[in-house]
Amino acid sequence: MPSSLVFRFSALAVDYHEGNVTFHELTNHWIYMAPDITSESDYSIPAIEAGTSGRVNGLAIDWLANNVYWVDEGYNWIKMTNYNGEGEVTIADMGFEKPSGIACHPHKDFLFWTELGDQYPPKIERSTMAGNNRITIVDGLTEPRSVAVDTILDRIYWTDNTAAEIKVESSDLDGNGRRIEVSEPKSLGVFDSIAVDETYIFVSGSSSEDFMRYYRKVSPNLLVFEYEFGSEIELYDLCVAGPNIQSQPVTSPCDGNTCEHYCVSAANNNHECLCRDDYVINPNGTCSIDKSIYYPPYCVIGQTDAISSFDPTILHHDWLSFHGVDAYIHNLFSGSPPYGTTALVVDTHSNLLFLADDLGKEIFVVKVKGGEFSVSIHKYNTGQIEGMAVDWLTLTLYYVDYVTESRGSMKYDGNDLTTKYDVTKPTAIAVDPFARYMFWTEETSPAKVVRSDLDFTNRRDLADIGLQKPTGMTIDLKLNRIYMVGSDSRLIYSTDYDGNNKQTIGTSKYAAIDITSYQDFLILAEPLGIFSGMVEAIHKPTGEHEGSIMLDSFVSAIAIADESTQPRTSPLTIQDDESENSGLNIGAVVGGLIAVIILIVIVIVIYKFGSKGIYSFRFKRSKENRRELTENDEHDNNVFIGDTNRPAAARPAASPANIKPPQQPITNVEIRETTVVFIAGGIARPSNIP
């Protein structure tokens, strides 16, 4: 990574007893755990997790079992790792659209999170710390961005922004006894983050400027303190830590555990064992490889010299473009792969990869697990297959042939071939096995997208598209939308299944030759020349660039392998059956490189009656709620500002560890009685910079 890059935080959590601070960093989308931030000694900050998008808006700490939880809005999942960053485990990955806040109560074995979506209405859900017994405990919300737990009173607190007001509400741990704690007019801004201690409710938010406020619990709507930051400052998250709100028993639940991978807190000071993703748990707490899967998700690409795969989450680490990606991309074949790949597709469940080799004029099938050699299932002689798709429910392969102007289907073994010569210069194809639709593009003038049933009947021209040479197509089964790219444009086009609601979904760095979809991201293959190419991630809801990797060979085709993209049941019929489950823009371009600037503001709020105030603030409030902190006020308010100008040291190419922080950590922090308040933020960016 260029040495000019510095930290910029989006979410954080603190373990008071260990003295560490965990945060999500927006330059390379990693989660770090800093050692004791009060120490004056020089130290390095290790990364404990690298597989995140740029949309991690909430972190939670289980200070009893030493684990970190996070919600990732880009990938629509909740994951966990331990303080050493020894892999990860998926806690929940279904029924999410826009997960936002997260908090935990490890003494009670409860994990809470908020959902902001439309398909899954705004609500607060709860599970065990291991992800079991998932239920909705609060609904009827509008925009619950964050949630916090009062471990002393056994209540949860959350923010909710409506059209008329911004609120803080609370309930017991089951969602009962719900009440409004704070209510302000919407004209005063929005609430983003929330934290609580024994006495106060802390919130951060934004209006004309970002702010931090805190209110007394016992007197709803009584503002005690407010500080507004300058317009150049953005606050992303807030948390508090203290000995009482993170109480610790003499013996922690995971002391002396025999778990091979992870130990998590359970109720009544017990523990539960979990295994890393792609492993299964054994009765004695050991973990074994799950041989039924080939470690999805993975992205597979056709190159001039290989058929390769990689974990799609590495796309978010733009720094790889400066250091190479050889350690992260793997050849799928044990022997020499075919050359001239024009199309490929994967059936995740069958563990099969299909590819069209234009040099040999053949379609090959490869059993991915085990690296077996490819087997030819179809020869097409004079044709040129430009696109392929699979119906993983009926085990049927579909394709379009540009030269013979045909479309066809066959079983996975090449039998039951059906060919229709009823298309004009087809270039890409996608299928929806649940709606029983086939979609393809035709390079007519203007180019268009066409639909038929999977039995080739009921052909219907859907819409003209803004491309002269469409080259790639993918669909979103949840949204019933089609996405298309072409070699003549950097724009990404989209339409619904009926050809309506046409949209342009952002711009790629280079014109793309193929496209696939994974969670909330479009992944594009962009050939740059004979000996170079790029794979780029675009956030579907916003069209924003979310990362890319450079390749040292031409890239011709791309596909994703994951059960989320090929579900067994239609995502439109999956209900949020909880009983069974028992955005930020990054950086600015400076001198041709991305220079991301960070400001961390750490506010230490020390409560002691009769003490002399250190700073004075005047509140922008009505007369009855206005207070000024004077030398005779009842609280000490020590404000500590992190060094904003110190760059992080260059990062090793293949290791997330040993990252150097700013040279002067926070020093001389006096914690006398109770709460330490941490606020993470950064320098505000011009709105026209991605």
Side-chain angles (χ1 to χ4, degrees):
M1 178 183 288
S3 60
S4 61
L5 293 180
V6 292
F7 290 129
R8 188 162 175 243
F9 304 163
S10 67
L12 77 164
V14 176
D15 183 331
Y16 178 87
H17 304 280
E18 295 289 335
N20 57 41
V21 178
T22 304
F23 56 89
H24 182 258
E25 203 275 318
L26 285 173
T27 300
N28 53 29
H29 304 164
W30 286 352
I31 296 175
Y32 295 85
M33 178 170 285
D36 187 356
I37 202 166
T38 67
S39 172
E40 296 187 17
S41 62
D42 193 14
Y43 55 84
S44 60
I45 301 179
I48 62 172
E49 172 60 35
T52 72
S53 76
R55 299 173 186 275
V56 173
N57 297 319
L59 289 166
I61 288 285
D62 177 355
W63 63 92
L64 300 182
N66 292 353
N67 295 318
V68 179
Y69 295 79
W70 66 93
V71 287
D72 193 321
E73 181 188 323
Y75 286 120
N76 297 312
W77 60 39
I78 296 174
K79 290 205 173 189
M80 184 210 79
T81 189
N82 57 23
Y83 283 8
N84 296 320
E86 298 169 330
E88 63 186 35
V89 58
T90 300
I91 299 299
D93 62 354
M94 295 185 64
F96 293 116
E97 185 179 354
K98 293 181 67 176
S100 182
I102 188 169
C104 66
H105 194 330
H107 290 291
K108 298 292 185 180
D109 189 22
F110 286 149
L111 185 69
F112 304 88
W113 63 86
T114 60
E115 165 65 46
L116 303 179
D118 297 317
Q119 181 181 2
Y120 304 105
K123 59 191 171 185
I124 298 175
E125 295 187 83
R126 188 190 76 191
S127 75
T128 67
M129 300 296 289
N132 301 317
N133 303 326
R134 178 177 171 182
I135 60 171
T136 294
I137 60 171
V138 179
D139 55 16
L141 303 173
T142 302
E143 190 182 77
R145 296 191 183 185
S146 58
V147 61
V149 180
D150 183 334
T151 59
I152 299 172
L153 298 179
D154 288 338
R155 293 187 68 81
I156 61 170
Y157 292 75
W158 64 89
T159 62
D160 193 16
N161 301 305
T162 71
E165 62 181 336
I166 54 178
K167 297 184 296 184
V168 172
E169 292 189 76
S170 74
S171 75
D172 65 22
L173 301 181
D174 297 318
N176 301 319
R178 182 173 170 181
R179 64 176 182 244
I180 295 176
E181 302 286 352
V182 175
S183 178
E184 304 274 20
K186 189 63 176 287
S187 60
L188 293 179
V190 296
F191 286 154
D192 291 324
S193 299
I194 187 170
V196 295
D197 71 355
E198 303 96 319
T199 310
Y200 298 100
I201 302 167
F202 301 83
V203 293
S204 67
S206 60
S207 54
S208 59
E209 297 178 347
D210 285 5
F211 58 78
M212 184 192 76
R213 302 171 188 161
Y214 66 82
Y215 304 82
R216 289 189 187 277
K217 284 182 183 177
V218 296
S219 303
N221 292 303
L222 176 60
L223 178 70
V224 178
F225 174 89
E226 179 184 50
Y227 181 74
E228 291 192 352
F229 297 83
S231 59
E232 75 280 4
I233 302 297
E234 286 189 318
L235 300 184
Y236 299 147
D237 199 11
L238 171 148
C239 73
V240 300
N244 298 327
I245 57 179
Q246 290 185 341
S247 62
Q248 207 165 31
V250 175
T251 302
S252 292
C254 288
D255 289 349
N257 77 87
T258 58
C259 303
E260 182 176 359
H261 287 177
Y262 300 106
C263 177
V264 300
S265 296
N268 302 317
N269 206 36
N270 293 318
H271 74 272
E272 184 173 349
C273 295
L274 292 180
C275 294
R276 289 194 294 270
D277 287 348
D278 308 321
Y279 286 76
V280 293
I281 188 75
N282 299 314
N284 63 354
T286 61
C287 300
S288 303
I289 289 285
D290 187 346
K291 296 182 179 180
S292 67
I293 61 174
Y294 182 71
Y295 310 117
Y298 62 93
C299 191
V300 59
I301 51 176
Q303 301 169 269
T304 52
D305 57 354
I307 306 297
S308 304
S309 69
F310 58 89
D311 186 326
T313 63
I314 73 168
L315 287 168
H316 303 289
H317 313 317
D318 272 325
W319 69 273
L320 284 175
S321 295
F322 298 98
H323 290 281
V325 296
D326 292 345
Y328 301 90
I329 296 184
H330 310 284
N331 190 343
L332 281 177
F333 298 96
S334 57
S336 299
Y339 295 92
T341 302
T342 54
L344 54 80
V345 66
V346 177
D347 181 332
T348 305
H349 306 284
S350 300
N351 189 39
L352 296 176
L353 166 68
F354 300 88
L355 58 95
D357 172 26
D358 193 53
L359 295 182
K361 302 296 182 182
E362 292 181 274
I363 295 178
F364 292 90
V365 60
V366 183
K367 191 173 183 180
V368 180
K369 187 175 181 179
E372 297 183 16
F373 288 99
S374 54
V375 175
S376 176
I377 61 172
H378 177 63
K379 294 185 70 70
Y380 49 94
N381 299 321
T382 60
Q384 182 174 312
I385 291 180
E386 290 291 320
M388 295 192 299
V390 293
D391 177 351
W392 57 91
L393 301 181
T394 63
L395 307 184
T396 304
L397 174 70
Y398 294 84
Y399 67 88
V400 289
D401 190 317
Y402 181 85
V403 172
T404 63
E405 296 191 322
S406 63
R407 54 186 176 133
S409 69
M410 68 187 77
K411 292 301 182 181
Y412 282 2
D413 58 4
N415 293 322
D416 298 338
L417 176 65
T418 299
T419 304
K420 296 290 183 181
Y421 297 91
D422 60 349
V423 293
T424 303
K425 297 181 178 179
T427 55
I429 187 171
V431 301
D432 183 335
F434 305 106
R436 308 303 298 163
Y437 285 149
M438 174 194 315
F439 304 92
W440 68 93
T441 54
E442 295 188 2
E443 193 181 290
T444 53
S445 184
K448 60 187 176 184
V449 57
V450 191
R451 186 187 82 194
S452 78
D453 294 343
L454 287 183
D455 62 0
F456 298 93
T457 62
N458 299 320
R459 173 190 165 120
R460 174 183 171 187
D461 291 357
L462 295 184
D464 297 336
I465 52 179
L467 295 167
Q468 296 300 316
K469 296 182 179 297
T471 53
M473 168 186 286
T474 190
I475 59 176
D476 187 318
L477 297 174
K478 292 181 180 179
L479 301 178
N480 277 355
R481 291 198 67 81
I482 311 162
Y483 299 87
M484 295 154 286
V485 294
S487 61
D488 61 309
S489 174
R490 294 165 51 219
L491 296 175
I492 304 165
Y493 293 90
S494 176
T495 181
D496 65 21
Y497 279 10
D498 294 321
N500 301 319
N501 191 20
K502 291 192 293 185
Q503 298 176 0
T504 301
I505 309 293
T507 305
S508 59
K509 288 189 173 182
Y510 302 94
I513 197 170
D514 204 1
I515 184 173
T516 188
S517 177
Y518 177 53
Q519 299 291 356
D520 284 352
F521 299 102
L522 298 169
I523 305 176
L524 282 63
E526 302 168 14
L528 307 182
I530 297 176
F531 301 109
S532 63
M534 173 182 285
V535 178
E536 181 180 8
I538 301 290
H539 187 236
K540 274 188 284 189
T542 63
E544 296 171 354
H545 168 85
E546 282 275 345
S548 59
I549 56 173
M550 296 292 295
L551 305 170
D552 58 4
S553 63
F554 182 90
V555 55
S556 58
I558 192 166
I560 198 76
D562 187 65
E563 190 172 359
S564 66
T565 63
Q566 295 179 337
R568 294 291 195 184
T569 306
S570 170
L572 298 181
T573 61
I574 295 175
Q575 301 298 317
D576 192 12
D577 189 351
E578 296 140 342
S579 63
E580 293 183 359
N581 291 314
S582 9
L584 295 176
N585 295 326
I586 304 175
V589 178
V590 178
L593 295 176
I594 301 176
V596 182
I597 301 176
I598 160 210
L599 174 66
I600 279 192
V601 181
I602 299 184
V603 179
I604 311 299
V605 180
I606 303 174
Y607 309 120
K608 186 172 183 180
F609 291 93
S611 297
K612 180 179 179 180
I614 297 178
Y615 294 100
S616 295
F617 298 91
R618 187 175 299 277
F619 303 123
K620 299 178 180 179
R621 280 296 181 273
S622 61
K623 182 177 180 181
E624 58 272 19
N625 281 344
R626 181 177 297 169
R627 296 187 64 228
E628 182 176 355
L629 296 183
T630 67
E631 291 187 354
N632 294 320
D633 199 279
E634 62 182 354
H635 296 288
D636 283 352
N637 293 276
N638 298 339
V639 182
F640 294 81
I641 307 298
D643 189 327
T644 64
N645 297 315
R646 304 278 183 169
R651 185 170 288 106
S655 174
N658 300 320
I659 309 306
K660 298 292 287 184
Q663 297 292 315
Q664 296 177 355
I666 304 304
T667 60
N668 299 324
V669 177
E670 181 182 4
I671 302 175
R672 274 177 273 174
E673 285 186 38
T674 142
T675 302
V676 185
V677 183
F678 294 83
I679 299 178
I683 301 297
R685 307 159 313 285
S687 60
N688 62 336
I689 295 179

